[in-house]
Amino acid sequence: MQKIYIVEDDDNIRKMVYYALSMGGFDALGFEDGEAFWEELKKEMPSLVLLDILLPGEDGISILKRLKQSDKTAKLPVIMLTAKGAEYDRIKGLDMGADDYITKPFSVMEALSRIKAVLRRCGAEPQKVTTLQVGDITLHEDKRTVRADENDVELTFKEFELLRCLMANEGIALSRDKLLEQVWGFDYNGESRTVDMHIKSLRQKLGDSGKLIKTVRNVGYKLGG
């Protein structure tokens, strides 16, 4: 049975989600703050974490950052719970590696649907190649490091995933929709603007090697070729 951790300080929401997950065949466990969550994480790793952004003490964004920076938990699927209208928090969470977000108020059916979709996507992920090389760009997937022109390149979680996707499909033109699907994993409002902004940032951080990322008119982008 897959275990889901719910980090949410609102008792009503936490209990509602816990009950829905239990009825949906999941083993659920709730926490009202980050401290209790970290203690339990030392004992057992869940299949997925539902993480509220506004928490007492350590907030959800800080918890997400710690999770993604640790080799042990970097690949742990995380769905953020965000307040309606908190677009900046959603974008920040997604860029730091969150797999999806759910906006409050939400229905339990929506939550279950998104949880199952993320678990399917993460569980079906094929075995990754350890190292990718295109031109002067080298990407190590297991270490999550990138070098370009013999320099280390610091990337956000989503920038890394976007570059990995482009490198894994060297010479192939990928549409913005395809990149959204592969990197973000769901339909995101703002679409082409989101991809374009990340491509711009990638090109800048890669320096001269950024020229390898080419714009394909009326399609999207490709790397090399």
Side-chain angles (χ1 to χ4, degrees):
M1 183 180 292
Q2 292 174 305
K3 175 164 284 189
I4 310 295
Y5 284 176
I6 312 156
V7 191
E8 167 61 67
D9 64 321
D10 188 307
D11 288 342
N12 292 328
I13 295 177
R14 191 172 65 252
K15 291 176 181 178
M16 176 187 71
V17 175
Y18 172 85
Y19 179 76
L21 287 170
S22 299
M23 294 299 292
F26 293 99
D27 183 10
L29 195 59
F31 310 91
E32 63 181 3
D33 56 36
E35 184 177 356
F37 165 72
W38 288 117
E39 284 301 313
E40 189 63 28
L41 197 64
K42 294 176 184 177
K43 304 174 186 176
E44 185 176 4
M45 187 73 64
S47 299
L48 181 144
V49 176
L50 280 176
L51 180 60
D52 186 28
I53 288 182
L54 298 177
L55 293 169
E58 186 178 18
D59 62 43
I61 293 294
S62 297
I63 292 174
L64 176 66
K65 183 177 180 180
R66 286 176 63 184
L67 287 171
K68 295 305 176 181
Q69 287 179 338
S70 169
D71 292 338
K72 185 178 179 181
T73 56
K75 295 182 180 180
L76 178 62
V78 179
I79 297 179
M80 305 299 293
L81 300 177
T82 70
K84 185 178 181 180
E87 183 179 7
Y88 174 76
D89 288 334
R90 291 198 295 273
I91 294 173
K92 188 174 182 180
L94 292 169
D95 280 346
M96 290 176 61
D99 296 271
D100 200 349
Y101 68 86
I102 301 175
T103 303
K104 302 177 185 177
F106 57 86
S107 70
V108 292
M109 294 304 295
E110 177 192 4
L112 280 173
S113 177
R114 287 184 177 269
I115 288 168
K116 290 177 181 178
V118 169
L119 287 172
R120 283 196 304 270
R121 192 164 68 238
C122 294
E125 191 173 81
Q127 186 66 36
K128 293 181 178 179
V129 178
T130 301
T131 304
L132 294 173
Q133 175 83 47
V134 178
D136 292 326
I137 305 173
T138 303
L139 181 147
H140 295 282
E141 296 198 44
D142 52 350
K143 299 177 182 178
R144 296 193 70 81
T145 60
V146 173
R147 286 181 64 82
D149 299 323
E150 299 184 357
N151 295 312
D152 292 330
V153 181
E154 294 293 330
L155 301 178
T156 67
F157 189 92
K158 288 302 181 186
E159 287 170 350
F160 182 93
E161 291 299 310
L162 179 58
L163 179 60
R164 185 196 65 78
C165 185
L166 289 168
M167 293 180 72
N169 294 278
E170 181 184 357
I172 299 174
L174 300 173
S175 68
R176 291 173 175 84
D177 287 342
K178 185 66 175 180
L179 289 169
L180 281 167
E181 177 187 342
Q182 293 294 316
V183 178
W184 279 263
F186 65 99
D187 293 332
Y188 174 70
N189 293 328
E191 299 173 350
S192 62
R193 180 170 174 267
T194 299
V195 175
D196 293 343
M197 288 176 62
H198 281 76
I199 289 290
K200 180 180 179 181
S201 179
L202 263 182
R203 283 171 168 161
Q204 291 175 342
K205 291 184 177 182
L206 291 171
D208 289 340
S209 294
K211 297 175 182 178
L212 289 171
I213 302 177
K214 301 176 181 179
T215 301
V216 181
R217 189 174 181 180
N218 298 324
V219 179
Y221 300 96
K222 68 175 181 178
L223 186 69

